[in-house]
Amino acid sequence: MAEAPPYAAWERRSRRWAIAFAALTLLVSGLVALALIETGRPAGPTWLLTFVPPLGVYVWQTAKIRSRRAILHEPFPREWEAVLQRDVVFFRALDADGQRRFRRDLQVFVGEKRITGIRVPLDDTTRVLAAASAVIPIFGFPDWEWDQISEVLVYPTRFDGDFEFGDQQGKNILGMVGTGSLNRVMILSKPDLVRGFRNATDKRNVGVHEFAHLVDKSDGRIDGIPGVGLERDAVEPWIDLVRRKMAEIDDGRSDINRYALTNEAEFFAVTSEYFFERPGTMRRKHPELYATMERVFGQDLKTRAKAIRRELKRGRVKFGRNSPCPCGSGKKFKKCCRQ
């Protein structure tokens, strides 16, 4: 059986909505045309003009389909591949089909969302790691659309509650999902974003943390009860599990970061970092929590446990000047992605 084209289900939904809006527009145009004909307007030209508005609505509503197809038609940049191979353990542990889908999803995120540097130059590493942070938590949902966000702002350092950075006194925020006037905006500290991927064993990754908040927000609220993966009858057991795990942290009987005690929403984001960075450790030390996170994110990481352990032991991949380029070009690194 031939593989379905990328985002086929999303395209079908988008076209159905476009047809529905166009049909509604045609109905309104038809009623207007009837009224105009009754006033003496020529019937032929009037009926002909009736089809212009619905055609325009259909073209407008399907513009994103054409734009996404154009994005995916572009070759995946070799420089991006080098970043994935060097810094993203999650990607390296995937099989070939999984890596193809990861590249595709990353390419779409970068193509459709703004990633803006604030007093800091944006390089391929920053751009790719910000997008990888978005792809990892929703990799179990092939039809996921990041409608909750339109822009990622990258700061040169950590910042404070007023979004100020520079003097490091009181600047202790690594990342934040915006609210109010910054709704649909995320802010990430560049050094902490990069560090989160380059230290893949510390159970911390600010990019994954902040996008986990947006997964949590899929039901409209960031409250530690994600709107995906948990059936209605699983919500109460989840709340009970969170309370028990928070009590263990408070008593010093847990290796989960104490920042999880801030509230239920932060508990979910902190344990999401743990789940994606050290799934084997979480499964061994917190089996009930691990099993629930698997359901929430729709990802069975234990099937990739050996690959993840292998990549963690391998550590951050280093490419010498004369190493084969990781993008698969067949050239030496110094003459390909390093250029």
Side-chain angles (χ1 to χ4, degrees), residues 58-77:
Y58 182 81
V59 171
W60 170 54
Q61 288 288 321
T62 55
K64 189 173 180 180
I65 294 175
R66 294 187 295 276
S67 172
R68 183 168 294 186
R69 285 188 172 186
I71 290 169
L72 293 172
H73 186 70
E74 293 294 322
F76 193 79

Side-chain angles (χ1 to χ4, degrees), residues 96-253:
D97 288 340
Q99 289 189 352
R100 277 193 293 272
R101 185 158 70 84
F102 194 102
R103 293 186 192 97
R104 180 194 74 193
D105 292 348
L106 186 143
Q107 202 165 1
V108 167
F109 187 89
V110 174
E112 294 184 349
K113 310 300 179 182
R114 294 188 300 275
I115 302 177
T116 306
I118 305 299
R119 297 188 194 173
V120 62
L122 276 187
D123 51 21
D124 288 318
T125 297
T126 308
R127 195 173 284 109
V128 169
L129 295 185
S133 302
V135 175
I136 289 170
I138 52 82
F139 199 68
F141 308 113
D143 293 327
W144 186 279
E145 290 290 318
W146 274 121
D147 297 327
Q148 304 99 317
I149 187 170
S150 60
E151 183 172 20
V152 178
L153 302 181
V154 180
Y155 276 21
T157 63
R158 297 182 183 186
F159 51 98
D160 60 23
D162 295 322
F163 314 113
E164 296 292 334
F165 56 86
D167 174 15
Q168 290 306 292
Q169 185 174 0
K171 311 296 194 297
N172 58 2
I173 301 177
L174 288 66
M176 177 182 291
V177 174
T179 58
S181 61
L182 287 177
N183 190 32
R184 302 184 73 239
V185 173
M186 179 184 292
I187 304 173
L188 296 172
S189 157
K190 177 179 177 177
D192 291 288
L193 169 67
V194 174
R195 189 179 300 116
F197 281 94
R198 292 188 175 173
N199 185 347
T201 62
D202 63 351
K203 298 170 287 191
R204 299 183 183 184
N205 185 304
V206 66
V208 170
H209 181 109
E210 296 305 326
F211 278 99
H213 277 316
L214 291 185
V215 172
D216 182 4
K217 195 180 180 182
S218 57
D219 60 356
R221 300 185 302 276
I222 300 179
D223 56 5
I225 305 175
V228 294
L230 289 181
E231 301 295 334
R232 186 181 298 272
D233 59 359
V235 172
E236 284 301 323
W238 166 252
I239 294 173
D240 177 66
L241 176 61
V242 170
R243 289 171 179 166
R244 285 189 281 118
K245 287 299 179 182
M246 291 177 80
E248 290 177 10
I249 300 169
D250 197 35
D251 291 342
R253 296 181 289 113

Side-chain angles (χ1 to χ4, degrees), residues 9 15 28 41 54 79 83 90 116 126 161 193 236 244 248 250-251 256 269 285 288 300 303 315 319 327 336:
R15 289 192 187 280
V28 174
R41 293 287 182 90
E79 297 82 359
V83 175
F90 183 95
T116 306
T126 308
L193 169 67
E236 284 301 323
R244 285 189 281 118
E248 290 177 10
D250 197 35
D251 291 342
I256 297 173
K285 293 187 175 183
E288 188 179 0
D300 179 10
T303 62
F319 304 120
C327 72
C336 190

